Amino acid sequence: MVIPFDSQCRERYYGLLDKVFDSNMWSDGAMQKTFENKFKEFCGIESRAVSNGGAGLLAILDYINVKDREVVVPANTFWATAQAVRKAGGRVVYADCSKADLCLSLETLRNAVTAETKAVIVVHIGGHIAFEIEEIKQFCDEREIYLIEDCAHAHGAEWNGKCAGSWGFAGSYSFYATKTLPVGEAGMVVSHNLEFLDFLEKYRNYGKEVINGKVTYPLKTGFNYRINEMTAALGIVQLEQADRILMWKRKLAAKYDQIFEKRVLFPKGMTSGYYKYIVFDYELTEKTGQVFGKNDLGYCIERKEIMLENSEWIAKSHACVPIYYGWDKANYSVDELRDYLII
């Protein structure tokens, strides 16, 4: 992949670094607050920065206290989702996914939930929002189960004007180096619950609070999950070019839509951020691997002897066509792309 960061971005970033150095604040400063405010503008939800997306999930799980309780996790997701549950003291229950969107299936969720279930984590796979998110939210609300959204892939995803993180109690985004808006290492937690966000501000700083220069430790939990001001400045620059990156990806996706019939087909009103462009059962000359292969799946890593049919099929059948910003074949015509990509 090519990390989107041209000479103009570098110049803008260096200017922000000068402000950081002049401020003499290398952590917990103005850049972090600006990064959070810009992300709030981007997704329409209150936002707080953390060191990475996994730390964001852990903060949410610790706040709702899943210790010794079950948390339903989709089988088709990265190991980090299940690991966050374990670090919070919860018990992971894997549920199957839908072939249509690769995300958690409501049908299998119904069978996975028990009296011990405290939370459900929906992972928005590949850049689009889970197709059954409305139904899953209703299901969780009726049972008073917390809904958490893993938004690591979902920068720029919308459904009828709502961004990822809008349905659950809270959501966690990742800015890892491969993401649509890469920062290297950083995360952003979004929530409408201001009490939780107040908790998070302390949680990411060892449980510490500073008021008028006086330091107290109102939380007996938390650790160092802060980001520094240099990282926050980098995040600001990436958010400022988000529209350009997303427009570029969607233009290429529109070409792919004319080529690949066997692909993820979005429902009306949904717009993907195209972290990945997912197709099924094609032999490709060039691809960016898979979203997750079988060896990446948590239940396979744990060697659990369970059969999750759809997740097994997804791991075997899908591939990702290049859609990273700056791909050198993106200017090919539709016919040229078809001839180049499909064996």
Coordinates of all heavy atoms in Angstrom, one line a residue, residues 61 64-74 81-82 84-86 88-95 108-121 139-140 143-148 304:
L61 N -15.1 -1.7 27.6 CA -15.4 -2.9 28.3 C -15.1 -2.8 29.8 O -15.9 -3.3 30.7 CB -14.6 -4.1 27.8 CG -14.9 -4.5 26.3 CD1 -13.8 -5.3 25.7 CD2 -16.2 -5.2 26.3
I64 N -18.1 -0.6 31.4 CA -19.3 -1.3 31.6 C -19.2 -2.6 32.5 O -20.1 -3.2 32.9 CB -20.0 -1.7 30.3 CG1 -19.2 -2.8 29.5 CG2 -20.3 -0.5 29.4 CD1 -19.9 -3.3 28.3
N65 N -17.9 -2.9 32.8 CA -17.6 -4.0 33.8 C -18.1 -5.3 33.3 O -19.1 -5.9 33.7 CB -18.1 -3.7 35.2 CG -17.6 -4.7 36.2 OD1 -16.6 -5.4 35.9 ND2 -18.2 -4.7 37.3
V66 N -17.3 -5.9 32.4 CA -17.7 -7.3 31.8 C -17.0 -8.4 32.6 O -17.0 -9.6 32.2 CB -17.3 -7.4 30.3 CG1 -18.1 -6.3 29.5 CG2 -15.8 -7.3 30.1
K67 N -16.3 -8.1 33.7 CA -15.6 -9.1 34.5 C -16.5 -10.3 34.8 O -17.6 -10.1 35.4 CB -15.0 -8.5 35.7 CG -14.1 -9.5 36.5 CD -13.5 -8.8 37.7 CE -12.7 -9.8 38.6 NZ -11.7 -10.6 37.8
D68 N -16.0 -11.5 34.4 CA -16.7 -12.7 34.7 C -18.1 -12.8 34.0 O -18.9 -13.7 34.3 CB -16.9 -13.0 36.2 CG -15.6 -13.1 36.9 OD1 -14.7 -13.7 36.3 OD2 -15.5 -12.6 38.1
R69 N -18.3 -12.0 33.0 CA -19.5 -12.0 32.2 C -19.2 -12.3 30.7 O -18.1 -12.2 30.3 CB -20.3 -10.7 32.3 CG -20.7 -10.3 33.7 CD -21.9 -11.2 34.2 NE -23.1 -11.0 33.3 CZ -24.0 -10.0 33.4 NH1 -23.8 -9.1 34.4 NH2 -25.0 -10.0 32.7
E70 N -20.2 -12.8 30.0 CA -20.0 -13.1 28.6 C -20.1 -11.9 27.7 O -21.0 -11.0 27.9 CB -21.0 -14.2 28.2 CG -20.8 -15.5 28.8 CD -21.9 -16.5 28.5 OE1 -22.9 -16.1 27.7 OE2 -21.8 -17.7 28.9
V71 N -19.3 -11.9 26.7 CA -19.3 -10.9 25.6 C -19.3 -11.6 24.3 O -18.4 -12.4 24.0 CB -18.1 -9.9 25.7 CG1 -18.2 -8.9 24.6 CG2 -18.1 -9.2 27.1
V72 N -20.3 -11.3 23.5 CA -20.4 -12.0 22.2 C -19.6 -11.2 21.2 O -19.7 -10.0 21.0 CB -21.9 -12.0 21.7 CG1 -22.0 -12.7 20.3 CG2 -22.7 -12.8 22.7
V73 N -18.7 -11.9 20.5 CA -17.8 -11.4 19.5 C -18.0 -12.1 18.2 O -18.1 -13.3 18.1 CB -16.3 -11.5 20.0 CG1 -15.3 -11.1 18.9 CG2 -16.1 -10.7 21.2
P74 N -18.0 -11.4 17.0 CA -18.1 -12.1 15.7 C -16.8 -12.9 15.5 O -15.7 -12.5 15.8 CB -18.3 -11.0 14.7 CG -17.7 -9.8 15.4 CD -18.0 -9.9 16.9
T81 N -10.1 -7.9 19.0 CA -11.4 -7.7 19.6 C -11.7 -8.7 20.8 O -12.1 -8.3 21.9 CB -12.5 -8.0 18.5 OG1 -12.2 -7.2 17.3 CG2 -13.9 -7.5 19.0
A82 N -11.3 -10.0 20.6 CA -11.4 -10.9 21.6 C -10.4 -10.7 22.8 O -10.8 -10.8 23.9 CB -11.2 -12.4 21.1
A84 N -9.3 -7.8 23.8 CA -9.8 -6.7 24.7 C -10.8 -7.3 25.7 O -10.8 -6.9 26.9 CB -10.5 -5.7 23.8
V85 N -11.7 -8.2 25.3 CA -12.6 -8.8 26.2 C -11.9 -9.5 27.3 O -12.2 -9.4 28.5 CB -13.6 -9.8 25.5 CG1 -14.5 -10.5 26.5 CG2 -14.4 -9.0 24.4
R86 N -10.9 -10.3 26.9 CA -10.1 -11.1 27.9 C -9.4 -10.2 28.9 O -9.4 -10.4 30.1 CB -9.1 -12.0 27.2 CG -9.8 -13.2 26.6 CD -8.7 -14.2 26.2 NE -9.5 -15.4 25.8 CZ -10.0 -15.5 24.6 NH1 -9.9 -14.5 23.7 NH2 -10.7 -16.5 24.2
A88 N -10.3 -7.3 29.9 CA -11.3 -6.7 30.8 C -11.9 -7.8 31.7 O -12.7 -7.4 32.5 CB -12.3 -6.1 29.9
G89 N -11.4 -9.0 31.6 CA -11.9 -10.1 32.5 C -13.2 -10.8 32.0 O -13.8 -11.5 32.8
G90 N -13.6 -10.5 30.8 CA -14.8 -11.1 30.3 C -14.6 -12.5 29.6 O -13.4 -12.9 29.4
R91 N -15.6 -13.2 29.3 CA -15.6 -14.5 28.7 C -16.1 -14.3 27.2 O -17.2 -13.9 27.0 CB -16.4 -15.5 29.4 CG -16.0 -15.7 30.9 CD -16.6 -17.0 31.4 NE -18.0 -17.1 31.4 CZ -18.8 -16.6 32.3 NH1 -18.4 -16.0 33.3 NH2 -20.1 -16.8 32.1
V92 N -15.2 -14.7 26.3 CA -15.5 -14.5 24.8 C -16.5 -15.6 24.4 O -16.2 -16.8 24.6 CB -14.3 -14.5 24.0 CG1 -14.6 -14.4 22.5 CG2 -13.3 -13.4 24.4
V93 N -17.5 -15.2 23.7 CA -18.4 -16.1 23.0 C -18.5 -15.8 21.6 O -18.8 -14.7 21.2 CB -19.9 -16.1 23.6 CG1 -20.8 -17.0 22.8 CG2 -19.9 -16.4 25.1
Y94 N -18.0 -16.7 20.7 CA -18.0 -16.4 19.3 C -19.3 -16.7 18.6 O -19.9 -17.8 18.9 CB -16.9 -17.2 18.6 CG -15.5 -16.8 19.0 CD1 -14.7 -17.5 19.8 CD2 -15.0 -15.6 18.4 CE1 -13.4 -17.1 20.2 CE2 -13.7 -15.2 18.8 CZ -12.9 -16.0 19.6 OH -11.7 -15.5 20.0
A95 N -19.7 -15.8 17.8 CA -21.0 -16.0 17.0 C -20.6 -15.9 15.5 O -19.6 -15.3 15.1 CB -22.0 -15.0 17.3
T108 N -27.4 -15.9 14.4 CA -26.6 -16.6 15.3 C -26.4 -15.9 16.6 O -26.1 -16.5 17.6 CB -25.2 -16.9 14.6 OG1 -24.6 -15.6 14.3 CG2 -25.4 -17.7 13.4
L109 N -26.5 -14.5 16.6 CA -26.5 -13.8 17.9 C -27.6 -14.2 18.8 O -27.3 -14.4 20.0 CB -26.6 -12.3 17.6 CG -26.7 -11.4 18.8 CD1 -25.4 -11.5 19.7 CD2 -26.9 -9.9 18.4
R110 N -28.8 -14.5 18.3 CA -29.9 -14.9 19.1 C -29.5 -16.2 19.9 O -29.9 -16.3 21.1 CB -31.1 -15.2 18.3 CG -31.7 -13.9 17.6 CD -33.0 -14.3 16.8 NE -33.4 -13.2 16.0 CZ -34.2 -12.2 16.4 NH1 -34.5 -12.2 17.7 NH2 -34.6 -11.3 15.6
N111 N -28.8 -17.1 19.2 CA -28.4 -18.4 19.8 C -27.2 -18.2 20.8 O -27.0 -19.1 21.6 CB -28.1 -19.4 18.8 CG -29.3 -19.7 17.9 OD1 -30.4 -19.7 18.4 ND2 -29.1 -20.0 16.6
A112 N -26.4 -17.2 20.6 CA -25.2 -17.0 21.4 C -25.5 -16.3 22.7 O -24.7 -16.5 23.7 CB -24.2 -16.2 20.6
V113 N -26.6 -15.5 22.8 CA -26.8 -14.7 24.0 C -27.4 -15.6 25.1 O -28.3 -16.5 24.8 CB -27.8 -13.6 23.7 CG1 -28.4 -13.0 24.9 CG2 -27.0 -12.5 22.9
T114 N -27.0 -15.4 26.3 CA -27.5 -16.1 27.5 C -27.8 -15.1 28.6 O -27.5 -13.9 28.4 CB -26.5 -17.2 28.0 OG1 -25.4 -16.5 28.7 CG2 -25.9 -18.1 26.9
A115 N -28.2 -15.6 29.8 CA -28.4 -14.8 30.9 C -27.1 -14.1 31.4 O -27.1 -13.1 32.1 CB -29.1 -15.6 32.0
E116 N -26.0 -14.7 31.0 CA -24.7 -14.2 31.4 C -24.1 -13.2 30.4 O -23.0 -12.6 30.7 CB -23.7 -15.3 31.6 CG -24.0 -16.2 32.8 CD -24.0 -15.5 34.1 OE1 -23.0 -14.8 34.3 OE2 -25.0 -15.5 34.8
T117 N -24.8 -12.8 29.4 CA -24.3 -11.9 28.4 C -24.4 -10.5 28.9 O -25.4 -10.0 29.2 CB -25.0 -12.1 27.0 OG1 -25.0 -13.4 26.6 CG2 -24.4 -11.2 26.0
K118 N -23.2 -9.8 28.9 CA -23.2 -8.4 29.3 C -23.1 -7.4 28.1 O -23.6 -6.3 28.1 CB -22.0 -8.1 30.2 CG -21.9 -6.7 30.8 CD -23.0 -6.5 31.8 CE -22.9 -5.2 32.5 NZ -21.8 -5.1 33.6
A119 N -22.5 -7.9 27.0 CA -22.3 -7.0 25.9 C -22.2 -7.8 24.6 O -21.8 -9.0 24.6 CB -21.0 -6.2 26.1
V120 N -22.4 -7.1 23.5 CA -22.2 -7.6 22.1 C -21.3 -6.6 21.4 O -21.6 -5.4 21.5 CB -23.6 -7.8 21.4 CG1 -23.4 -8.1 19.9 CG2 -24.4 -8.8 22.1
I121 N -20.3 -7.2 20.7 CA -19.5 -6.3 19.9 C -19.7 -6.6 18.4 O -19.6 -7.7 17.9 CB -18.0 -6.5 20.2 CG1 -17.7 -6.3 21.7 CG2 -17.1 -5.6 19.3 CD1 -16.2 -6.5 22.0
F139 N -32.4 -5.7 19.3 CA -32.3 -6.9 20.0 C -31.5 -6.7 21.4 O -32.0 -7.1 22.4 CB -31.5 -7.9 19.2 CG -31.2 -9.2 19.8 CD1 -32.1 -10.2 19.9 CD2 -30.0 -9.4 20.5 CE1 -31.9 -11.5 20.5 CE2 -29.7 -10.6 21.1 CZ -30.6 -11.7 21.1
C140 N -30.4 -5.9 21.3 CA -29.7 -5.6 22.5 C -30.5 -4.7 23.5 O -30.4 -5.0 24.7 CB -28.3 -5.0 22.2 SG -27.2 -6.1 21.4
R143 N -33.0 -6.5 25.6 CA -32.5 -7.4 26.6 C -31.5 -6.7 27.5 O -30.9 -7.3 28.4 CB -31.7 -8.6 25.9 CG -32.7 -9.6 25.2 CD -32.1 -10.3 24.1 NE -33.1 -11.2 23.5 CZ -34.0 -10.7 22.6 NH1 -34.1 -9.4 22.3 NH2 -34.9 -11.6 22.1
E144 N -31.4 -5.4 27.4 CA -30.6 -4.6 28.2 C -29.1 -5.1 28.2 O -28.5 -5.2 29.2 CB -31.1 -4.5 29.7 CG -32.5 -3.9 29.8 CD -33.0 -3.7 31.2 OE1 -32.5 -4.4 32.1 OE2 -33.9 -2.9 31.4
I145 N -28.7 -5.3 27.0 CA -27.3 -5.7 26.7 C -26.6 -4.6 26.1 O -27.1 -3.9 25.2 CB -27.3 -7.0 25.8 CG1 -27.9 -8.2 26.5 CG2 -25.8 -7.3 25.4 CD1 -28.1 -9.4 25.5
Y146 N -25.4 -4.3 26.5 CA -24.6 -3.2 25.9 C -24.2 -3.6 24.5 O -23.7 -4.7 24.2 CB -23.3 -2.9 26.7 CG -23.6 -2.2 28.0 CD1 -23.7 -2.8 29.2 CD2 -23.6 -0.8 28.0 CE1 -23.9 -2.1 30.4 CE2 -23.8 -0.1 29.1 CZ -23.9 -0.7 30.3 OH -24.1 0.0 31.5
L147 N -24.4 -2.7 23.5 CA -23.9 -2.8 22.2 C -22.7 -2.0 22.0 O -22.7 -0.8 22.2 CB -25.0 -2.4 21.2 CG -24.5 -2.4 19.7 CD1 -24.1 -3.8 19.2 CD2 -25.7 -1.9 18.8
I148 N -21.6 -2.6 21.6 CA -20.3 -1.9 21.3 C -20.0 -2.0 19.8 O -20.1 -3.1 19.3 CB -19.2 -2.5 22.2 CG1 -19.5 -2.3 23.7 CG2 -17.8 -1.8 21.9 CD1 -18.6 -3.1 24.6
K304 N -10.3 -23.5 19.2 CA -11.7 -23.9 19.7 C -12.3 -24.9 18.6 O -12.3 -24.6 17.4 CB -12.6 -22.7 19.9 CG -12.2 -21.9 21.2 CD -13.2 -20.9 21.4 CE -13.0 -20.2 22.7 NZ -13.3 -21.0 23.9

